[in-house]
Amino acid sequence: MALSEESFLPDAEDCAETWRTLRWPDGPECVECGSSDVAVQDWDYLSSLRRYQCRECGRWFNDRSGTFIESAKVRLPVWIYVLREMDKGRSINSISKDLPHTYKTVHRVATTMREAIYQRREEWREVLTGEVEADDVHLTLGQQGRILRSEEATEQEATEQEATEQAASDSSKDQSGKANPAQHVSREPRERGLSERGRGSWDGDRPPAVLWVERGGSERILELQPDVTKRTLLRSAIRHVELKSRIDTDDFSSYQLLEEAYDHRSVDHEGAYVSDEGTHCNTAEAEWSIFKPWWRGFRGVAKRHAYRYLSEYSFRRSRCPDSRQKRLHRMVALLRSNCGPFNQAQVFFGAH
């Protein structure tokens, strides 16, 4: 007998009860006026969820009203299952094969979860203290599906027209039975990036990701930045590291401004990885050996969406000491309150 969806999904009643406990520890509250004087009007609404009516303002609402999953048509057990499997490291494509949903639907569930982690980052992120290490890496990120500017569109149309005319001309001259390679010219090759030399930038499709690691602790903060200038790195440090803390970096000149607010020490990697005073950033550099294989699994990310993935990585690495069950509860709890609709076209960096 073939396994059905219910064979491996968590129980709907258990999911609904857990959701209500995480959202309303002291009982249901009206999403309009915040009153706790509410009446249950439907005890079995959408797979064990409930509907309520506020006695103060008369507003009707349910267990999902005012949350990130308010308008989702996917059942709550499916959300719990997708989040649990994501935490195990499974791909969205693999998870979608377990469910009666398309890849696009499961991908939307994952995107909503990543957006919730980002928007509610102040609830799980802690300020780094003591000895902190910093390092940066440049990610190759394209635009993927972007709309061409008017001048780019005009240039591309001219190039395509020239290629078509050249192909027609060569075809008329070629009287042999051999295939003419020019006949296969249909479009310009896809642009993967601007291929800047040296240290990249946001405009060059190679924005830097700056990593802050608490030595001896579990906190990891990885965020996207427009560049790696001195002021950019100092602003990032002030957001994430307690003032007067010790920060160890390599000898990159942009880290020098950290001396204005921190006990900054650097090590020249051309001479040694650990200085005579014990300065090193080996913990931060070792973190890349975990991040890069994880990052390669996504097969390319548009730079306008990269902030969500880096926030997810920071959350999972910072909560690594937690049990899988506790981490799942934390993720579900982040979905309980919506911070407003997110704009996918907005650029997110420098505000993490």
Side-chain angles (χ1 to χ4, degrees):
M1 182 179 65
L3 293 176
S4 65
E5 176 188 358
E6 305 298 334
S7 301
F8 53 86
L9 286 182
D11 182 72
E13 180 60 36
D14 291 343
C15 290
E17 190 62 34
T18 300
W19 174 261
R20 284 189 289 268
T21 301
L22 292 173
R23 186 181 185 190
W24 294 310
D26 301 324
E29 297 178 355
C30 177
V31 297
E32 184 71 25
C33 64
S35 173
S36 59
D37 188 9
V38 299
V40 181
Q41 300 292 356
D42 193 343
W43 289 82
D44 191 11
Y45 170 74
L46 291 180
S47 300
S48 302
L49 298 180
R50 298 174 185 172
R51 285 199 297 178
Y52 312 90
Q53 185 179 22
C54 178
R55 294 191 178 97
E56 294 289 337
C57 64
R59 168 71 182 270
W60 283 73
F61 61 98
N62 59 60
D63 288 330
R64 302 198 305 186
S65 297
T67 69
F68 280 94
I69 62 175
E70 176 179 8
S71 58
K73 296 182 180 179
V74 179
R75 297 191 304 134
L76 186 58
V78 176
W79 280 85
I80 303 296
Y81 179 76
V82 172
L83 299 185
R84 186 183 66 191
E85 298 305 304
M86 283 177 60
D87 190 56
K88 295 179 181 178
R90 293 185 60 189
S91 67
I92 302 303
N93 185 45
S94 174
I95 298 173
S96 64
K97 293 178 181 179
D98 294 342
L99 303 169
H101 298 289
T102 63
Y103 170 86
K104 187 175 181 179
T105 299
V106 179
H107 185 271
R108 182 62 181 176
V109 171
T111 300
T112 302
M113 182 67 255
R114 293 179 180 127
E115 183 67 24
I117 291 175
Y118 171 78
Q119 290 198 18
R120 304 186 69 86
R121 58 195 179 279
E122 299 301 332
E123 296 185 12
W124 57 266
R125 193 175 62 190
E126 299 180 4
V127 176
L128 280 64
T129 60
E131 296 182 349
V132 179
E133 300 177 19
D135 199 13
D136 60 275
V137 70
H138 291 262
L139 306 177
T140 301
L141 303 172
Q143 290 287 13
Q144 293 194 358
R146 65 189 176 94
I147 300 175
L148 294 177
R149 299 193 303 270
S150 57
E151 60 269 21
E152 291 178 318
T154 302
E155 181 180 351
Q156 180 171 335
E157 290 174 359
T159 303
E160 292 178 351
Q161 180 66 23
E162 182 180 351
T164 303
E165 293 176 356
Q166 182 65 32
S169 175
D170 293 344
S171 177
S172 62
K173 294 179 181 179
D174 188 5
Q175 301 298 329
S176 64
K178 297 181 180 180
N180 191 347
Q183 295 178 357
H184 299 285
V185 177
S186 59
R187 62 175 176 82
E188 287 294 300
R190 181 180 180 185
E191 180 183 2
R192 290 294 297 172
L194 303 181
S195 300
E196 281 188 337
R197 298 191 65 181
R199 289 186 177 269
S201 64
W202 175 268
D203 294 333
D205 286 353
R206 290 187 64 238
V210 180
L211 173 68
W212 303 95
V213 176
E214 188 177 75
R215 187 181 297 168
S218 62
E219 293 298 319
R220 271 89 173 119
I221 298 176
L222 182 61
E223 67 175 7
L224 209 61
Q225 294 291 345
D227 50 49
V228 282
T229 61
K230 293 181 179 180
R231 292 184 178 275
T232 298
L233 293 178
L234 178 60
R235 285 195 296 264
S236 180
I238 292 175
R239 281 195 301 272
H240 304 308
V241 184
E242 187 178 43
L243 296 177
K244 305 300 182 181
S245 298
R246 172 178 170 177
I247 299 182
D248 288 359
T249 68
D250 56 27
D251 61 342
F252 179 42
S253 59
S254 290
Y255 288 115
Q256 294 176 358
L257 196 59
L258 296 178
E259 297 176 356
E260 300 293 329
Y262 299 95
D263 177 17
H264 174 238
R265 305 182 187 183
S266 61
V267 55
D268 184 3
H269 283 169
E270 292 185 0
Y273 282 95
V274 181
S275 69
D276 296 336
E277 295 79 16
T279 302
H280 69 88
C281 50
N282 293 342
T283 308
E285 291 182 343
E287 190 67 25
W288 298 126
S289 64
I290 301 175
F291 169 77
K292 290 180 178 179
W294 177 85
W295 180 255
R296 284 195 295 267
F298 295 109
R299 306 286 295 176
V301 177
K303 65 180 180 181
R304 64 183 181 275
H305 302 311
Y307 71 95
R308 297 195 189 102
Y309 293 84
L310 299 189
S311 293
E312 179 194 7
Y313 179 84
S314 300
F315 171 81
R316 296 189 187 282
R317 290 293 294 156
S318 298
R319 304 278 76 82
C320 191
D322 295 343
S323 65
R324 196 177 298 276
Q325 186 71 11
K326 185 176 180 179
R327 195 160 52 246
L328 177 61
H329 277 224
R330 283 178 176 268
M331 286 191 289
V332 174
L334 293 176
L335 292 169
R336 70 184 186 275
S337 179
N338 197 346
C339 298
F342 53 90
N343 181 10
Q344 295 185 355
Q346 186 175 354
V347 176
F348 289 85
F349 54 71
H352 294 40

